[in-house]
Amino acid sequence: MVSNEYRVTGMSCEHCEKSVREEVGQISGVQGIDVSAATGRLVVTSTEPLDDAVVLAAVDEAGYSAVRA
């Protein structure tokens, strides 16, 4: 398993977390998603290394901005 951490800006509630979780969850190979609006932290666990651009695009699709932490 591989884990990558990102900093997400713009989230403020559980609905925000759910939106990010739903978009990132569509990425092939993703096994776990830990996201917190309070800390702005997103940790994605996958079966194989993920392309950061794919994860960042999914967060963007959810309506937020992210960078690799």
Side-chain angles (χ1 to χ4, degrees):
M1 295 296 253
V2 180
S3 290
N4 294 323
E5 185 173 339
Y6 303 88
R7 291 272 175 223
V8 181
T9 55
M11 296 188 301
S12 60
C13 64
E14 288 181 20
H15 176 73
C16 300
E17 295 172 354
K18 182 180 177 196
S19 295
V20 170
R21 196 174 290 113
E22 287 176 354
E23 291 296 333
V24 174
Q26 294 179 34
I27 300 170
S28 178
V30 169
Q31 296 294 306
I33 302 164
D34 181 22
V35 60
S36 169
T39 64
R41 183 173 179 250
L42 167 64
V43 177
V44 181
T45 305
S46 58
T47 55
E48 57 207 33
L50 297 175
D51 183 348
D52 286 335
V54 174
V55 176
L56 299 178
V59 173
D60 184 65
E61 184 67 28
Y64 308 96
S65 298
V67 295
R68 180 78 185 256

XYZ file of all heavy atoms in Angstrom:
501
model
N 0.839 -1.182 0.000
C 0.000 0.000 0.000
C 0.885 1.247 0.000
O 1.937 1.271 0.620
C -0.895 0.018 1.228
C -1.904 -1.107 1.270
S -3.089 -1.032 -0.030
C -4.511 -0.529 0.852
N 0.401 2.259 -0.685
C 1.103 3.526 -0.809
C 0.189 4.622 -0.282
O -1.004 4.638 -0.580
C 1.440 3.820 -2.287
C 2.165 5.129 -2.427
C 2.249 2.689 -2.890
N 0.739 5.537 0.520
C -0.041 6.668 1.031
C 0.564 7.980 0.559
O 1.781 8.145 0.593
C -0.085 6.667 2.558
O -0.863 5.604 3.027
N -0.295 8.888 0.120
C 0.117 10.227 -0.288
C -0.710 11.237 0.503
O -1.912 11.033 0.699
C -0.115 10.454 -1.777
C 0.752 9.574 -2.632
O 1.901 9.329 -2.294
N 0.219 9.085 -3.727
N -0.065 12.310 0.933
C -0.767 13.341 1.705
C -0.823 14.644 0.911
O 0.143 15.029 0.261
C -0.063 13.577 3.039
C -0.811 14.553 3.925
C -0.225 14.685 5.318
O 0.493 13.775 5.765
O -0.496 15.718 5.950
N -1.974 15.303 1.022
C -2.212 16.559 0.318
C -2.815 17.574 1.277
O -3.432 17.202 2.272
C -3.186 16.349 -0.853
C -2.708 15.299 -1.823
C -3.020 13.958 -1.626
C -1.924 15.644 -2.913
C -2.563 12.983 -2.495
C -1.467 14.670 -3.798
C -1.787 13.349 -3.581
O -1.327 12.388 -4.443
N -2.645 18.850 0.958
C -3.272 19.952 1.691
C -4.374 20.514 0.807
O -4.105 20.955 -0.306
C -2.266 21.056 2.002
C -1.246 20.665 3.007
C -1.753 20.972 4.401
N -0.807 20.486 5.384
C -1.178 19.854 6.471
N -2.434 19.656 6.721
N -0.284 19.435 7.330
N -5.599 20.484 1.306
C -6.750 20.960 0.546
C -7.233 22.271 1.152
O -7.368 22.388 2.369
C -7.893 19.919 0.569
C -9.085 20.400 -0.241
C -7.398 18.571 0.063
N -7.494 23.262 0.311
C -8.010 24.546 0.786
C -9.434 24.732 0.302
O -9.805 24.266 -0.775
C -7.141 25.721 0.292
O -7.044 25.670 -1.133
C -5.748 25.661 0.891
N -10.217 25.400 1.128
C -11.593 25.723 0.774
C -12.647 24.856 1.439
O -13.828 25.166 1.358
N -12.252 23.774 2.070
C -13.233 22.913 2.744
C -13.615 23.520 4.086
O -12.764 24.064 4.784
C -12.667 21.515 2.995
C -12.352 20.722 1.779
S -11.911 18.997 2.173
C -10.492 19.204 3.255
N -14.917 23.397 4.425
C -15.356 23.957 5.699
C -16.334 23.071 6.469
O -16.717 23.418 7.579
C -16.001 25.331 5.463
O -17.123 25.192 4.610
N -16.742 21.943 5.866
C -17.769 21.130 6.539
C -17.715 19.676 6.069
O -16.914 19.312 5.210
C -19.145 21.716 6.262
S -19.599 21.671 4.505
N -18.596 18.863 6.621
C -18.669 17.447 6.258
C -19.067 17.261 4.805
O -18.638 16.313 4.153
C -19.641 16.713 7.178
C -19.113 16.530 8.584
C -20.085 15.767 9.477
O -20.984 15.065 8.946
O -19.949 15.873 10.696
N -19.908 18.149 4.295
C -20.311 18.056 2.891
C -19.087 18.228 1.983
O -18.954 17.542 0.972
C -21.376 19.103 2.559
C -21.753 19.117 1.113
N -22.518 18.132 0.546
C -21.429 19.975 0.125
C -22.655 18.394 -0.750
N -22.004 19.515 -1.028
N -18.205 19.143 2.357
C -16.963 19.357 1.609
C -16.138 18.074 1.604
O -15.626 17.653 0.554
C -16.140 20.484 2.233
S -16.946 22.090 2.290
N -15.995 17.466 2.763
C -15.242 16.221 2.878
C -15.847 15.142 1.990
O -15.138 14.415 1.303
C -15.231 15.738 4.330
C -14.496 16.643 5.284
C -14.661 16.248 6.738
O -15.446 15.320 7.039
O -13.993 16.863 7.573
N -17.172 15.047 2.001
C -17.867 14.041 1.200
C -17.621 14.257 -0.285
O -17.387 13.307 -1.029
C -19.369 14.075 1.496
C -20.147 13.034 0.746
C -21.622 13.096 1.067
C -22.366 12.069 0.228
N -23.795 12.312 0.213
N -17.648 15.499 -0.729
C -17.408 15.808 -2.143
C -16.016 15.361 -2.566
O -15.840 14.751 -3.623
C -17.572 17.309 -2.397
O -18.898 17.710 -2.166
N -15.019 15.675 -1.752
C -13.644 15.276 -2.047
C -13.539 13.758 -2.042
O -12.950 13.149 -2.943
C -12.652 15.913 -1.053
C -11.257 15.309 -1.204
C -12.608 17.424 -1.236
N -14.122 13.125 -1.034
C -14.069 11.667 -0.914
C -14.678 10.990 -2.145
O -14.135 10.019 -2.679
C -14.804 11.229 0.361
C -14.490 9.817 0.791
C -15.118 9.483 2.142
N -14.477 10.203 3.227
C -15.064 11.163 3.956
N -16.307 11.514 3.727
N -14.401 11.758 4.918
N -15.813 11.512 -2.627
C -16.481 10.916 -3.779
C -15.634 11.032 -5.046
O -15.512 10.070 -5.807
C -17.844 11.569 -4.000
C -18.871 11.154 -2.975
C -20.198 11.872 -3.137
O -20.307 12.796 -3.984
O -21.134 11.512 -2.410
N -15.040 12.192 -5.288
C -14.236 12.391 -6.499
C -12.947 11.580 -6.459
O -12.602 10.899 -7.428
C -13.921 13.875 -6.708
C -15.125 14.707 -7.086
C -15.749 14.333 -8.415
O -15.042 13.817 -9.307
O -16.969 14.546 -8.566
N -12.236 11.635 -5.342
C -10.972 10.904 -5.228
C -11.235 9.400 -5.243
O -10.438 8.628 -5.786
C -10.193 11.336 -3.964
C -8.960 10.479 -3.751
C -9.801 12.812 -4.069
N -12.363 8.989 -4.704
C -12.713 7.572 -4.665
C -12.917 6.943 -6.027
O -12.902 5.722 -6.169
N -13.097 7.764 -7.056
C -13.282 7.246 -8.419
C -11.963 6.907 -9.106
O -11.954 6.304 -10.167
C -14.044 8.279 -9.251
C -15.467 8.488 -8.782
C -16.201 9.522 -9.606
O -15.982 9.644 -10.803
N -17.073 10.275 -8.969
N -10.847 7.276 -8.485
C -9.534 7.007 -9.077
C -9.205 5.521 -8.916
O -9.315 4.968 -7.820
C -8.442 7.869 -8.412
C -8.747 9.356 -8.601
C -7.066 7.514 -8.971
C -7.859 10.275 -7.777
N -8.797 4.916 -9.996
C -8.453 3.495 -9.983
C -7.316 3.218 -9.000
O -6.313 3.928 -8.984
C -8.034 3.076 -11.386
O -7.654 1.724 -11.399
N -7.497 2.191 -8.176
C -6.465 1.782 -7.232
C -6.591 2.372 -5.845
O -5.928 1.926 -4.919
N -7.461 3.382 -5.678
C -7.627 4.005 -4.360
C -8.319 3.025 -3.415
O -9.365 2.471 -3.731
C -8.431 5.325 -4.461
C -8.829 5.824 -3.081
C -7.605 6.378 -5.186
N -7.703 2.815 -2.248
C -8.243 1.897 -1.250
C -8.782 2.612 -0.023
O -9.661 2.094 0.657
C -7.149 0.912 -0.814
C -6.677 0.011 -1.914
C -7.763 -0.942 -2.363
O -8.335 -1.652 -1.557
N -8.054 -0.949 -3.642
N -8.243 3.803 0.279
C -8.679 4.518 1.466
C -8.505 6.011 1.294
O -7.587 6.469 0.608
N -9.423 6.758 1.903
C -9.383 8.217 1.838
C -9.676 8.751 3.231
O -10.711 8.445 3.805
C -10.438 8.759 0.858
C -10.213 8.181 -0.540
C -10.417 10.284 0.839
C -11.396 8.357 -1.463
N -8.743 9.536 3.750
C -8.937 10.200 5.035
C -8.863 11.690 4.757
O -7.816 12.202 4.363
C -7.848 9.774 6.022
C -8.010 10.417 7.384
O -9.135 10.840 7.717
O -7.015 10.508 8.120
N -9.997 12.375 4.931
C -10.047 13.802 4.623
C -10.666 14.560 5.789
O -11.616 14.089 6.409
C -10.815 14.065 3.301
C -12.243 13.569 3.369
C -10.760 15.522 2.912
N -10.102 15.718 6.116
C -10.581 16.519 7.242
C -10.688 17.982 6.832
O -9.690 18.602 6.453
C -9.628 16.394 8.429
O -9.950 17.343 9.422
N -11.897 18.521 6.913
C -12.102 19.943 6.634
C -11.423 20.792 7.702
O -10.920 21.878 7.416
C -13.590 20.256 6.564
N -11.388 20.302 8.929
C -10.808 21.060 10.040
C -9.317 21.306 9.852
O -8.813 22.386 10.154
C -11.060 20.331 11.357
N -8.607 20.298 9.333
C -7.164 20.426 9.173
C -6.744 20.681 7.727
O -5.605 21.051 7.473
C -6.444 19.154 9.653
O -6.847 18.059 8.813
C -6.754 18.862 11.100
N -7.649 20.442 6.787
C -7.319 20.579 5.377
C -6.445 19.448 4.867
O -5.841 19.529 3.807
N -6.420 18.358 5.604
C -5.540 17.231 5.289
C -6.297 16.154 4.512
O -7.420 15.799 4.856
C -5.006 16.658 6.597
C -4.033 15.541 6.460
C -3.468 15.201 7.854
N -2.543 14.100 7.759
C -2.793 12.885 8.230
N -3.920 12.626 8.843
N -1.893 11.935 8.109
N -5.666 15.665 3.466
C -6.203 14.563 2.670
C -5.108 13.518 2.547
O -4.005 13.820 2.093
C -6.613 15.054 1.272
C -6.898 13.980 0.212
C -8.106 13.137 0.607
C -7.103 14.634 -1.150
N -5.407 12.299 2.982
C -4.464 11.191 2.832
C -5.150 10.134 1.976
O -6.248 9.681 2.292
C -4.052 10.587 4.196
C -3.124 9.400 3.989
C -3.391 11.643 5.065
N -4.491 9.794 0.876
C -5.035 8.808 -0.054
C -4.146 7.579 -0.008
O -2.935 7.662 -0.214
C -5.069 9.377 -1.498
C -5.665 8.347 -2.448
C -5.853 10.675 -1.547
N -4.754 6.431 0.271
C -4.042 5.158 0.299
C -4.449 4.373 -0.938
O -5.635 4.285 -1.259
C -4.400 4.363 1.567
O -4.134 5.184 2.709
C -3.577 3.089 1.663
N -3.442 3.831 -1.625
C -3.730 3.116 -2.870
C -2.888 1.848 -2.975
O -1.904 1.682 -2.260
C -3.449 4.023 -4.067
O -2.107 4.467 -4.041
N -3.297 0.991 -3.892
C -2.588 -0.264 -4.106
C -1.306 -0.054 -4.895
O -0.415 -0.890 -4.863
C -3.476 -1.260 -4.862
O -3.933 -0.637 -6.078
C -4.662 -1.681 -4.024
N -1.218 1.077 -5.615
C -0.049 1.388 -6.429
C 0.189 2.894 -6.375
O -0.727 3.635 -6.023
C -0.289 0.939 -7.865
C -1.518 1.580 -8.445
C -2.186 0.754 -9.533
O -2.151 -0.472 -9.459
O -2.745 1.363 -10.447
N 1.369 3.358 -6.716
C 1.620 4.809 -6.705
C 0.640 5.535 -7.629
O 0.325 5.055 -8.717
C 3.051 4.930 -7.221
C 3.678 3.613 -6.911
C 2.576 2.600 -7.065
N 0.137 6.667 -7.152
C -0.802 7.461 -7.937
C -0.099 8.681 -8.511
O 0.810 9.228 -7.889
C -1.962 7.939 -7.058
C -2.859 6.868 -6.456
C -3.874 7.517 -5.521
C -3.571 6.093 -7.543
N -0.558 9.107 -9.658
C -0.075 10.344 -10.256
C -0.710 11.500 -9.488
O -1.936 11.590 -9.406
C -0.481 10.376 -11.732
C 0.036 11.594 -12.465
O 0.520 12.552 -11.816
O -0.052 11.596 -13.708
N 0.122 12.361 -8.912
C -0.411 13.490 -8.148
C -1.379 14.323 -8.971
O -2.381 14.815 -8.447
C 0.722 14.395 -7.647
C 1.500 13.778 -6.492
O 0.937 12.928 -5.774
O 2.663 14.165 -6.315
N -1.102 14.481 -10.249
C -1.970 15.296 -11.112
C -3.387 14.744 -11.161
O -4.354 15.509 -11.210
C -1.384 15.390 -12.517
N -3.531 13.430 -11.104
C -4.853 12.799 -11.134
C -5.603 13.100 -9.838
O -6.786 13.432 -9.852
C -4.728 11.276 -11.375
C -6.076 10.592 -11.259
C -4.101 11.008 -12.733
N -4.906 13.006 -8.715
C -5.526 13.293 -7.421
C -5.903 14.772 -7.337
O -7.020 15.124 -6.932
C -4.598 12.909 -6.248
C -5.226 13.296 -4.914
C -4.287 11.416 -6.287
N -4.990 15.651 -7.754
C -5.263 17.087 -7.698
C -6.417 17.462 -8.620
O -7.245 18.317 -8.275
C -4.005 17.877 -8.062
C -2.804 17.658 -7.126
C -1.605 18.449 -7.619
C -3.139 18.005 -5.691
N -6.532 16.806 -9.767
C -7.641 17.055 -10.682
C -8.969 16.615 -10.066
O -9.993 17.283 -10.233
C -7.409 16.341 -12.008
N -8.954 15.511 -9.325
C -10.174 15.030 -8.665
C -10.610 16.014 -7.585
O -11.803 16.304 -7.451
C -9.943 13.641 -8.069
N -9.660 16.542 -6.823
C -9.984 17.532 -5.794
C -10.534 18.791 -6.456
O -11.522 19.374 -5.991
C -8.747 17.858 -4.927
C -9.034 19.011 -3.979
C -8.308 16.629 -4.144
N -9.940 19.191 -7.568
C -10.413 20.356 -8.323
C -11.840 20.126 -8.812
O -12.681 21.027 -8.744
C -9.473 20.625 -9.494
C -9.852 21.877 -10.251
O -9.766 22.973 -9.660
O -10.245 21.769 -11.432
N -12.114 18.928 -9.281
C -13.463 18.577 -9.761
C -14.488 18.691 -8.627
O -15.641 19.040 -8.848
C -13.453 17.157 -10.337
C -14.754 16.719 -10.957
C -15.132 17.494 -12.224
O -14.227 17.991 -12.930
O -16.337 17.606 -12.483
N -14.046 18.412 -7.410
C -14.928 18.533 -6.241
C -15.142 19.994 -5.855
O -15.992 20.309 -5.020
C -14.345 17.758 -5.059
N -14.328 20.896 -6.427
C -14.498 22.322 -6.163
C -13.495 22.936 -5.206
O -13.711 24.035 -4.703
N -12.375 22.246 -4.991
C -11.381 22.713 -4.045
C -10.003 22.711 -4.674
O -9.794 22.141 -5.745
C -11.413 21.858 -2.767
C -12.800 21.768 -2.217
C -13.616 20.688 -2.504
C -13.331 22.802 -1.465
C -14.922 20.639 -2.045
C -14.637 22.759 -0.999
C -15.427 21.679 -1.296
O -16.707 21.649 -0.855
N -9.043 23.302 -3.992
C -7.661 23.321 -4.455
C -6.813 22.475 -3.523
O -7.093 22.404 -2.325
C -7.116 24.744 -4.453
O -7.857 25.554 -5.333
N -5.777 21.850 -4.078
C -4.905 21.012 -3.249
C -3.477 21.086 -3.752
O -3.230 21.375 -4.933
C -5.392 19.572 -3.242
N -2.555 20.801 -2.857
C -1.136 20.651 -3.188
C -0.612 19.442 -2.441
O -1.149 19.072 -1.394
C -0.300 21.903 -2.814
C -0.707 23.106 -3.634
C -0.394 22.204 -1.324
N 0.435 18.857 -2.952
C 1.071 17.726 -2.273
C 1.718 18.236 -0.998
O 2.406 19.257 -0.995
C 2.122 17.095 -3.202
C 2.858 15.919 -2.619
C 2.010 14.658 -2.673
N 2.652 13.565 -2.012
C 3.253 12.556 -2.639
N 3.293 12.519 -3.946
N 3.794 11.579 -1.959
N 1.476 17.553 0.098
C 2.031 17.986 1.399
C 3.408 17.428 1.595
O 3.800 16.452 1.011
C 1.118 17.535 2.527
